[in-house]
Amino acid sequence: MPEPQESDEQQPADGHEPDIAVPSESRSTAEIEEELDQYSAAMGTVEATLAKIRSCTDKEKSALREDVKQLGQMYQKLSRGRVDIVIFGEISTGKSAMINALVGQAVAAVDVQGGWTKEIWGTSWEGTGHRIPGLDESEIVLIDTPGINEVGGSDRGELATEAARKADLILFVTDSDLNETEYAALYQLASLQKPIILVLNKMDLYNPEQRTRLTEVLEERVGDWIPRDQIVTTTADPREVECIIEKPDGSTHSEWRRPAPRVEDLKLKIMEILDRDGLDLIALNAALYAADKSDRVASLRVELRDRHATQLIMTYATIKAIAVAANPVPFGDTLGGVAVDVTMVMMLAKVYGLEMSSAKAKELSTAIAKSAGWVGAGELIGPLVKLFTLSAATPLIILPQGAAAGYSSYIVGHAAKYYFEHGASWGSQGPKKVVKDILSSTDRSSVVSHLKKEIQSKLWTNRHANSG
């Protein structure tokens, strides 16, 4: 850090500068109405996403509880026309002092050792006189975040990332050329496609030539993703300077006084962006946020339903394997197995939010079994053996027949799962192609081995297993 230099700029000796009134850019009624239409559309997007969550199952709602809370907060923010300006930067770059200087009073404690900010917090920026066109009750909130280089701040880092996603405008504060950590953090924030103002703070530590050179360096480094006119210099917490005071009698004495913060250019740039794009910013931000949450809902539904369906298929395959193996009546075992498949298909339909009659479920399971060819035909061997041996051979074929029946049900279940995943449609594939793909991707020996173990654990420990 260079040695402190005397500033060549005239500054008030004490107190804060007055709030700057920025004249709003004149707009036609048609332009404002168009922006309000976009704003209403954004509200509709958030409402639609909340409605999608309300249609989820209880298990899905439980997993989405935090998302519901965050969406609700976004809806309130949008309905009030609140603009969130989130401030990022390393420890001791002057983020808290920046908030104080903008607000005009000490709303944030400033610790010279840095790192005091442990949580995300915000304060209303009153006194700007700014209102989003068409939203008379709108407000601006300045939100501070922990230092991006704070040790042990991984949990707080997640909160800061969430704050960035909700932000309408981002201020990134630095007090020198960007180091590696700052550059990486700023680049990541830029990927969120939010407007960013890069604030070069503590300018009273540099002479005019150094300030000019430092600004040029930053423009070269980030000019491709931050407009050059959005790189602003400030002095949020000026160091004290020695002032020579002349008395009426001509004598003099010295006093150390703290000049007023210099954040006028930053205020002007913020107001310029909000006057020009404020309504569009909060509308677009809310719509994108809702879209991200909608994608998460869809992804979670797929994940949970896939997991539930897979567990259900194995459960019913095991039930069928045991039911068929334990039934000594020729072809009675087969009919019992068909009933299990029909029930499984009906339950799978419910997993995907669909209703299916037993007749339709039987039709679907039969069609899949036919497409499976030899897999379904293998179930007929056991009944024929039982028939010709008058059930005497039942104990000998318990494991192979039960495993074959369970494996057949496993294939039927996964084919039905594909059918329901694609909106009760085979699409361009057709059941035979789907079944073929499932068979080629399934480790048959592993499934059969699992089913045999289940049969053994359920039947061979049962003293009535070989009766009849």
Side-chain angles (χ1 to χ4, degrees):
M1 182 70 67
E3 290 297 320
Q5 302 288 331
E6 290 292 341
S7 171
D8 63 338
E9 301 176 359
Q10 294 183 351
Q11 299 179 341
D14 53 18
H16 291 280
E17 61 188 85
D19 288 312
I20 298 174
V22 182
S24 297
E25 181 181 337
S26 60
R27 295 185 180 183
S28 67
T29 302
E31 288 175 325
I32 293 178
E33 287 180 351
E34 181 179 353
E35 290 181 352
L36 287 173
D37 287 342
Q38 294 173 346
Y39 175 82
S40 298
M43 290 281 287
T45 302
V46 177
E47 290 170 345
T49 304
L50 285 169
K52 180 183 288 188
I53 294 177
R54 284 193 288 270
S55 69
C56 291
T57 65
D58 290 342
K59 189 173 183 178
E60 292 167 347
K61 287 178 183 177
S62 178
L64 291 166
R65 187 176 293 111
E66 186 62 25
D67 298 271
V68 173
K69 177 183 175 182
Q70 293 169 352
L71 266 175
Q73 292 171 344
M74 176 59 74
Y75 185 83
Q76 291 178 355
K77 170 186 176 311
L78 188 60
S79 62
R80 292 170 55 190
R82 192 183 81 223
V83 179
D84 284 353
I85 300 178
V86 181
I87 303 174
F88 289 87
E90 281 199 332
I91 294 170
S92 298
T93 54
K95 296 185 290 98
S96 298
M98 185 71 63
I99 292 178
N100 290 340
L102 290 172
V103 173
Q105 57 181 307
V107 294
V110 180
D111 186 341
V112 295
Q113 293 181 348
W116 76 273
T117 304
K118 302 301 182 184
E119 302 295 340
I120 307 297
W121 70 279
T123 184
S124 180
W125 186 9
E126 300 176 352
T128 62
H130 178 82
R131 291 290 180 270
I132 297 296
L135 298 173
D136 294 336
E137 296 183 359
S138 63
E139 67 171 334
I140 301 173
V141 176
L142 300 174
I143 299 173
D144 196 10
T145 61
I148 58 176
N149 58 337
E150 186 171 353
V151 177
S154 58
D155 292 339
R156 290 187 292 275
E158 294 179 5
L159 292 175
T161 301
E162 179 63 22
R165 292 194 184 101
K166 291 180 180 178
D168 302 297
L169 175 63
I170 292 173
L171 304 186
F172 192 95
V173 182
T174 185
D175 58 7
S176 62
D177 187 14
L178 298 172
N179 60 38
E180 184 177 345
T181 299
E182 289 176 306
Y183 187 88
L186 183 57
Y187 187 84
Q188 183 178 8
L189 289 170
S191 69
L192 297 176
Q193 303 299 312
K194 306 289 181 72
I196 298 175
I197 299 177
L198 177 55
V199 183
L200 185 52
N201 192 30
K202 300 185 180 181
M203 286 298 93
D204 58 336
L205 301 181
Y206 300 89
N207 63 36
E209 183 180 344
Q210 290 171 329
R211 287 198 296 269
T212 299
R213 179 54 186 155
L214 187 52
T215 302
E216 290 174 349
V217 170
L218 289 175
E219 288 177 350
E220 291 173 2
R221 296 194 67 188
V222 303
D224 290 340
W225 24 289
I226 296 180
R228 282 171 166 74
D229 67 345
Q230 289 176 203
I231 300 176
V232 180
T233 59
T234 63
T235 300
D237 187 22
R239 60 197 173 118
E240 290 184 340
V241 295
E242 186 177 13
C243 300
I244 304 300
I245 310 300
E246 184 176 355
K247 297 180 180 180
D249 61 4
S251 63
T252 61
H253 73 280
S254 66
E255 290 183 6
W256 286 89
R257 295 183 179 181
R258 188 179 299 278
R262 297 195 62 81
V263 292
E264 301 98 327
D265 290 346
L266 177 58
K267 283 186 177 182
L268 284 168
K269 180 53 63 177
I270 292 172
M271 293 302 115
E272 175 191 321
I273 291 173
L274 296 185
D275 274 343
R276 184 184 67 229
D277 303 319
L279 192 58
D280 286 340
L281 283 178
I282 60 176
L284 179 61
N285 181 39
L288 291 175
Y289 189 82
D292 286 342
K293 292 300 183 184
S294 181
D295 290 344
R296 170 164 160 71
V297 171
S299 176
L300 183 69
R301 273 183 163 177
V302 169
E303 179 185 344
L304 291 178
R305 289 178 177 183
D306 181 79
R307 189 185 309 162
H308 187 188
T310 300
Q311 291 173 345
L312 188 146
I313 289 167
M314 184 54 75
T315 297
Y316 274 88
T318 303
I319 291 172
K320 182 178 177 181
I322 295 171
V324 169
N327 193 333
V329 181
F331 296 102
D333 48 8
T334 305
L335 293 175
V338 170
V340 172
D341 282 348
V342 169
T343 303
M344 175 182 64
V345 170
M346 292 172 66
M347 294 299 295
L348 284 171
K350 288 184 178 181
V351 170
Y352 290 93
L354 303 171
E355 291 294 333
M356 177 169 279
S357 66
S358 59
K360 286 290 185 181
K362 184 176 182 180
E363 181 182 331
L364 179 61
S365 61
T366 301
I368 295 171
K370 288 180 179 178
S371 299
W374 63 266
V375 175
E379 290 189 66
L380 299 177
I381 297 176
L384 290 173
V385 172
K386 290 178 183 178
L387 178 64
F388 287 113
T389 63
L390 300 178
S391 299
T394 297
L396 301 177
I397 63 172
I398 282 180
L399 284 181
Q401 185 191 12
Y407 182 69
S408 171
S409 189
Y410 181 90
I411 299 302
V412 169
H414 277 279
K417 175 173 172 285
Y418 176 95
Y419 178 79
F420 294 130
E421 283 175 344
H422 293 77
S425 171
W426 295 113
S428 59
Q429 296 277 12
K432 288 187 178 180
K433 179 65 168 59
V434 170
V435 170
K436 182 179 179 181
D437 290 343
I438 292 172
L439 287 170
S440 64
S441 62
T442 300
D443 184 352
R444 184 179 185 278
S445 61
S446 176
V447 175
V448 169
S449 175
H450 172 80
L451 292 170
K452 286 182 177 180
K453 288 179 180 177
E454 289 296 319
I455 294 171
Q456 288 175 322
S457 65
K458 295 294 189 302
L459 292 183
W460 288 11
T461 56
N462 184 344
R463 63 189 180 89
H464 300 295
N466 295 323
S467 62

